[in-house]
Amino acid sequence: KQEVTQIPAALSVPEGENLVLNCSFTDSAIYNLQWFRQDPGKGLTSLLLIQSSQREQTSGRLNASLDKSSGRSTLYIAASQPGDSATYLCAVRRSGYSTLTFGKGTMLLVSP
Amino acid sequence: DAGVIQSPRHEVTEMGQEVTLRCKPISGHDYLFWYRQTMMRGLELLIYFNNNVPIDDSGMPEDRFSAKMPNASFSTLKIQPSEPRDSAVYFCASSLVRDTEAFFGQGTRLTVV
C-alpha cells in the first residue's frame, strides 16, 4: 500500500525566504506526482504535475523535483510572499492506477 | 470552463437524515473521483468513475454511502442515514484521461449533528 509523508507538517518563514517542502512515498512504482495548494476552506489548486520520467518541473517561482528511486519529491518556493500562505499537498499516482494517494500536507505561513 | 462544480458548499444535517452531494465535472473529462478530507485521515479516495461507470468503490466506508453518475456531466454521493462521524469535507475531482492532471472542486463541508 502506498504511503505518502510530508515533512514538516507546518512551517513559518519571513517574507522573501526561499523554502523547500518535502514529500516521500513508499512505493517507487509511480506514474506521476502532483503538488497542490489548498487555501483555508477552499478546494485544491493544482500547482505542478511531474511525470515519473521527469526530474524537474517549473512554474514561476515554484520548482518541483522528483527522485523516483529514492521515493522523494521536493517543492521549492523562491522568494516567498504572504500570498503563498496555504497548505501544500503532495499526491502520487501509482503506475496502472487512476487515483491519487495524498500526504497530509505542509501548512505554510509566510509573514510580512 | 468553470471547473469542477460542487453543491452545496455547506450542509448541516441531523443524524439519521439523508444527504446528497452533487458534482459537475469539467466538460469532456472521462474520469470522476470522490474524495473525503478529515483532519485525522487527510484526503482519501471514496470512489471513482470512468465514462460514467464505477470502477473502484473500495474506499466507500459503509453501505450507507452510495454514488451514481447518470451521465457525463453529473454525479451524486449519497449518505443514508448520516452519522456524526461522516462530518468532513467531500471533494469531487475530474481528469481528462486516466493518468493526467486531476482538477478539484471547491468541496462540500458536511456537518452531521
Side-chain angles (χ1 to χ4, degrees), chain A residues 32 34 38 46 98 104, chain B residues 35 37 40 45 98-99 101:
Chain A
N32 53 37
Q34 198 166 351
Q38 184 175 26
S46 179
S98 306
K104 291 194 174 179
Chain B
Y35 288 87
Q37 185 178 40
M40 286 294 295
L45 177 73
R98 191 178 78 170
D99 299 322
E101 192 173 9

Side-chain angles (χ1 to χ4, degrees), chain B residues 52-108:
Chain B
N52 314 338
V53 176
I55 303 300
D56 183 356
D57 66 354
S58 59
M60 297 284 261
E62 299 171 38
D63 291 345
R64 298 183 297 107
F65 286 69
S66 63
K68 293 182 180 179
M69 192 165 184
N71 57 61
S73 59
F74 184 65
S75 178
T76 60
L77 178 67
K78 186 176 294 186
I79 309 173
Q80 165 63 13
S82 57
E83 296 183 4
R85 59 194 168 118
D86 301 331
S87 298
V89 181
Y90 291 80
F91 286 102
C92 177
S94 70
S95 65
L96 185 60
V97 293
R98 191 178 78 170
D99 299 322
T100 56
E101 192 173 9
F103 295 88
F104 280 70
Q106 293 292 295
T108 295

Side-chain angles (χ1 to χ4, degrees), chain A residues 32 34 36 91-93 98-102, chain B residues 33 35 45 102 104:
Chain A
N32 53 37
Q34 198 166 351
F36 293 88
V92 299
R93 186 178 281 107
S98 306
T99 59
L100 291 167
T101 301
F102 282 84
Chain B
F33 308 86
Y35 288 87
L45 177 73
F104 280 70

Side-chain angles (χ1 to χ4, degrees), chain A residues 70-92:
Chain A
S70 67
R72 294 177 188 274
S73 175
T74 62
L75 180 67
Y76 175 83
I77 303 177
S80 58
Q81 302 170 358
D84 294 330
S85 298
T87 296
Y88 290 80
L89 293 153
C90 164
V92 299

